[in-house]
Amino acid sequence: SYSYNIITTTMKRPSKPLLIAGIPIAGLALASYNGGNSSRSSDSGPSGFVSAWSPARTIRTTSSSRSSSVLLSATTIKEDEEEVVDLHLTPQLEMMVNAFSSIPDEKTRHKQLLYMASKLPSVTDEVRIPQNKVPGCLSTVHVDCTLEPKQDGGGNNDSGDGDNNEESKTTMVVNYTGDSDGLLTKGLLALLIRGLSGSTPQQIQQIDPQFIQAAKISQTLTPGRNNGFLNMLAVMKKKALDVEAASASLGGGEDGGDDAVDAVEEEETLDIITSFQEMDNKPMYNTIMSTLITILKPTSISLTDNSSQHAGHAGSKGWEESGESHFALVIVAEAFEGLSLVKRHQLIYMLLGESMEKIHALEIRAKSPNEV
């Protein structure tokens, strides 16, 4: 005969609601909860809001299954944490990625993005200009940024006598503003604005776009919206470099000005490609070139159509539509700095999005300017 030890555990409501970047999950969590009070009416939130907490419930498990599940959970959490660390996220963005990945269902993650969209501060028409428009998005997106000083260290004095034990240091950080006419896209923009603002241009450049998978948000997105999200991140990275360079050219920045000047001098020596000669009856070629030039701002790019050498490989959509199936890409861009070969290829694949589904093969040689 077998015997089992039955453990009865009562799950109590938490004393605080689950938050993402200080925002209740989906905006539905109550601000407080008076545990043990049988009257639910006194705990109701604003009109139309309901509790995001689950009611108290009883869970029955065997001692053996409980120990194995705890071990599995601990291992999974450790692996997830290591994966997030490798993405070089800002502290705020890392916190939100961990919070989103902990949400068990796709529907709640979707609601959270919509709620964050509703909390994104409005912008003036000065932001909604062609120079701030993000290309390649299903919805219209505008984003801009400023470079502002931030005091680091020092100033932590609990005695109240006004004397600092440590000398404070000024760091120039980027703060973003933006808007979109699509709610879900606006939620993604709000996530990026909240996660990137307050960081240095260098920190922003190191962020790996794969964090969208780690946060499990990509499960909510169509390929078109996923491509738009990557375009938004790429544009925000580029704007961070641009505003730093502009500040340096005006002598801005109270600290670390030499680094900014060096960045300007380096940019002046690099000729950014902004246009290309479109080819007649080659829609795949034109789309690939336009996308990569607009987002990656390459200093050198060459795309060769080798489809005629692989005429027997018919079957791809590109071949059926325009006879385009095989390409060879050679590209040099600052966006590849610090990225491994695999991540460079992944970045190009994600930027091209649906275009990759229409071609049979894309040979890639991607380098940073320092590697040429």
Side-chain angles (χ1 to χ4, degrees), residues 13-19 22-35 40-47 49-53 115:
R13 295 173 182 266
S15 58
K16 295 181 179 180
L18 299 175
L19 303 176
I23 301 176
I25 293 293
L28 303 179
L30 298 178
S32 62
Y33 172 73
N34 183 12
R40 300 292 180 87
S41 60
S42 61
D43 293 326
S44 61
S47 176
F49 281 62
V50 296
S51 173
W53 294 315
Y115 185 72

Side-chain angles (χ1 to χ4, degrees), residues 279-352:
M279 299 179 64
D280 295 334
N281 302 319
K282 295 292 182 180
M284 294 301 302
Y285 173 91
N286 295 335
T287 298
I288 293 174
M289 288 290 288
S290 176
T291 301
L292 297 182
I293 288 176
T294 302
I295 303 300
L296 296 180
K297 306 294 183 184
T299 57
S300 175
I301 184 171
S302 172
L303 183 64
T304 305
D305 185 355
N306 295 324
S307 304
S308 60
Q309 302 175 14
H310 305 273
H313 291 181
S316 63
K317 292 182 180 179
W319 176 266
E320 296 173 357
E321 294 175 1
S322 59
E324 299 171 280
S325 61
H326 291 70
F327 292 94
L329 172 68
V330 180
I331 181 171
V332 179
E334 284 186 298
F336 300 132
E337 186 72 39
L339 297 182
S340 66
L341 181 63
V342 173
K343 291 188 179 298
R344 294 177 186 185
H345 288 200
Q346 289 176 341
L347 175 59
I348 291 174
Y349 292 151
M350 287 187 292
L351 290 178
L352 296 181

Side-chain angles (χ1 to χ4, degrees), residues 20 25 98-106 108-109 112 216:
I20 291 181
I25 293 293
N98 289 329
F100 266 100
S101 64
S102 68
I103 300 176
D105 63 287
E106 179 180 331
T108 304
R109 285 192 293 271
Q112 181 61 33
K216 300 180 181 179

Side-chain angles (χ1 to χ4, degrees), residues 57-74:
R57 64 181 188 273
T58 300
I59 301 177
R60 298 179 180 273
T61 62
T62 65
S63 58
S64 59
S65 64
R66 185 171 71 99
S67 60
S68 62
S69 63
V70 170
L71 178 61
L72 178 60
S73 176

